[in-house]
Amino acid sequence: MASLKLGLLHLAIEHKEPEKNRQQLLAYCREAGERGLQIVAAPELCISGYSFASIEDMAPYAETADGPTLRGVAALCKVYSMYACIGLAERDERSSILYNSAFVIDPQGEIICRYRKINAEFRWACPGDPAQDNTFLTPWGRIGVLICSDCYHSLMPRITALRGANLILVVANWPPVGDLNPVEIWQARAMENGVFIAVCNRTGVDATMDCRNGYSALISPRGVLNMKKVARTSRIAKASIPLNKAGLLKGGQRLKQLTARNCAQMHACYLNRSGFGDISGLLQLPNAGQLQICCHCPGSEEGLLPIFETTETQCKATPILHVLAPGSYDEADLEGIRTWCATSDEKVVLLRETKRGDLLYRFDGKEQPQCCPWDATYGCQEAEFPFFDCGAARVHLIPGCALHHPEHFLAAAKKGADMAIVFNQKFNDKLCLLGGARTIEQLSVVLASPQGAGIWMTPQGHQRWQEILAGPGEHCSAVMDTRRTRLKRFQDRIDYHTLLLEPESQIHQTATQTLA
């Protein structure tokens, strides 16, 4: 089977040693060409190093597009008929503005793509234009480029996929930080977009970071880790991507993911929430405080009331919301839950499966529960997914298929959601990873399934999300403090036109070239 051969230059970069780093880069590009690699990538800021305190500190190390680094790489691309993607500090010739950029050079030695990092360094770099085209066409199909933490934010990889890329090259400077494993982020981005993700990270020690345990990696469109490389000294991490019979990158999974989006439910993504320390007053949310969430997967022989009775109350003054997995609950079950809620002042939400369709029930201690049609996989046809207030939290219901679509969760967060509840029939490691990744959109996530349950709490800083899991016949519990979920910060430098208004025909325009 034909394959595309990548060379990820996993380089030890020395801080403020541009000439030494440049000679190293050119030597490894030459070696990659001699080994017959078709695309090479070098890490973010591979000439200057990463840590700079100010514009004045970085300025001597920034280059223009016709500087010595790109001229040297272009000459090698022509000799070896290869493509190269190089991350470096750029000085714009006309304005002298500094950017953290990635340049793609083709086998003719021409620059065919320049991408300026959007989630740019605060101390010295200007953010790139969200509408810049970060893709380029090759004999193997369209390929996209992102830089490091731009991949942490879900919408940048999503827009790259919408532009037609079946492979995203990520040039990175991502050292291990706390308990957050960047490979999990890359796997989530590959799965939700149905694309290959190839990450060229660095090694070595920078001024303020130790990158010797940083990973370079190749992830498949289904989230499989095809290659992971860590090295304390410079290496070429070689990776191969299978091509279809026409010699093109496979695009079927990408088209499947993108055409499954429910764009009508996503438009709140573009709402401006900047400038608010706390959005509670703006959106008339409940007073912030604590809510205990208990997610249950009842066993086939187990009654419901014993589940509620044995739930450990973590704080007597904290309201409790029970979430029950989809099941064929009978009238006796519903009456028992209604009575329990009326006497205990606890709340319950569940999905009841019936022959005429699934029904969403919410018990809040009143005489009759609230009920509406809801499909575990696809939700409902309403213009807006349902939401309700429970104690200190605003809770949104999101269908299972939306786990692959971060736009739904971001839209809910911008409408004030502290938590999203997802009912689903399946529960596996990949869904758990997506459930955790959805918390990056600034809300907690609960997934209830007959096969298992999970609660994921929003991450703090650069840490990993908190994860609490349960298997069949078990329950998991966590206390959410909405004073934390109200302090939302969004990356709003986004090409919303491409994200929300692009016609289906544009998504399909490369289908004949990319379908396996």
Side-chain angles (χ1 to χ4, degrees), residues 215-440:
Y215 294 116
S216 289
L218 175 66
I219 318 291
S220 82
R222 297 186 182 275
V224 177
L225 184 59
N226 287 352
M227 186 274 289
K228 184 173 74 171
K229 181 72 173 180
V230 60
R232 298 176 74 84
T233 57
S234 298
R235 295 286 189 276
I236 296 179
K238 183 179 177 182
S240 295
I241 298 178
L243 303 173
N244 65 16
K245 293 180 180 178
L248 300 171
L249 292 162
K250 299 178 181 181
Q253 189 65 20
R254 178 182 68 87
L255 294 173
K256 177 182 176 182
Q257 292 298 103
L258 297 184
T259 55
R261 300 193 311 154
N262 182 348
C263 291
Q265 299 280 6
M266 298 178 179
H267 281 79
C269 283
Y270 67 69
L271 293 173
N272 180 10
R273 294 290 184 255
S274 61
F276 293 93
D278 185 327
I279 62 172
S280 301
L282 174 71
L283 301 178
Q284 298 181 324
L285 304 179
N287 291 332
Q290 291 186 330
L291 174 68
Q292 182 173 343
I293 308 112
C294 302
C295 197
H296 307 273
C297 299
S300 57
E301 303 300 325
E302 188 176 11
L304 294 179
L305 294 185
I307 294 176
F308 302 144
E309 292 168 352
T310 57
T311 298
E312 181 179 352
T313 302
Q314 298 187 25
C315 176
K316 290 184 178 180
T318 301
I320 298 178
L321 173 64
H322 299 273
V323 182
L324 271 61
S328 54
Y329 303 102
D330 58 27
E331 293 297 331
D333 292 327
L334 301 181
E335 179 57 25
I337 294 171
R338 187 195 67 76
T339 302
W340 169 265
C341 292
T343 57
S344 68
D345 202 31
E346 297 177 8
K347 320 297 182 185
V348 175
V349 60
L350 62 83
L351 191 67
R352 183 189 188 191
E353 299 170 330
T354 73
K355 293 180 179 179
R356 292 179 293 178
D358 298 347
L359 296 171
L360 179 69
Y361 279 83
R362 181 162 63 89
F363 300 82
D364 57 8
K366 298 179 181 178
E367 187 65 26
Q368 294 297 328
Q370 299 185 44
C371 174
C372 67
W374 183 259
D375 183 270
T377 303
Y378 301 107
C380 63
Q381 299 301 315
E382 300 297 325
E384 183 178 35
F385 291 149
F387 67 90
F388 61 91
D389 291 342
C390 182
R394 179 154 293 177
V395 181
H396 279 237
L397 277 295
I398 297 179
C401 66
L403 279 168
H404 285 84
H405 304 296
E407 300 97 322
H408 289 300
F409 292 81
L410 179 60
K414 285 199 169 184
K415 289 189 285 187
D418 298 295
M419 178 175 68
I421 296 177
V422 179
F423 294 103
N424 202 43
Q425 292 300 329
K426 295 181 179 180
F427 189 85
N428 53 42
D429 290 343
K430 289 184 176 180
L431 292 178
C432 286
L433 179 56
L434 289 173
R438 294 291 78 88
T439 64
I440 295 173

Side-chain angles (χ1 to χ4, degrees), residues 200-214:
C200 183
N201 206 353
R202 62 162 289 176
T203 185
V205 179
D206 202 77
T208 60
M209 297 183 298
D210 187 342
C211 300
R212 289 173 293 182
N213 291 317

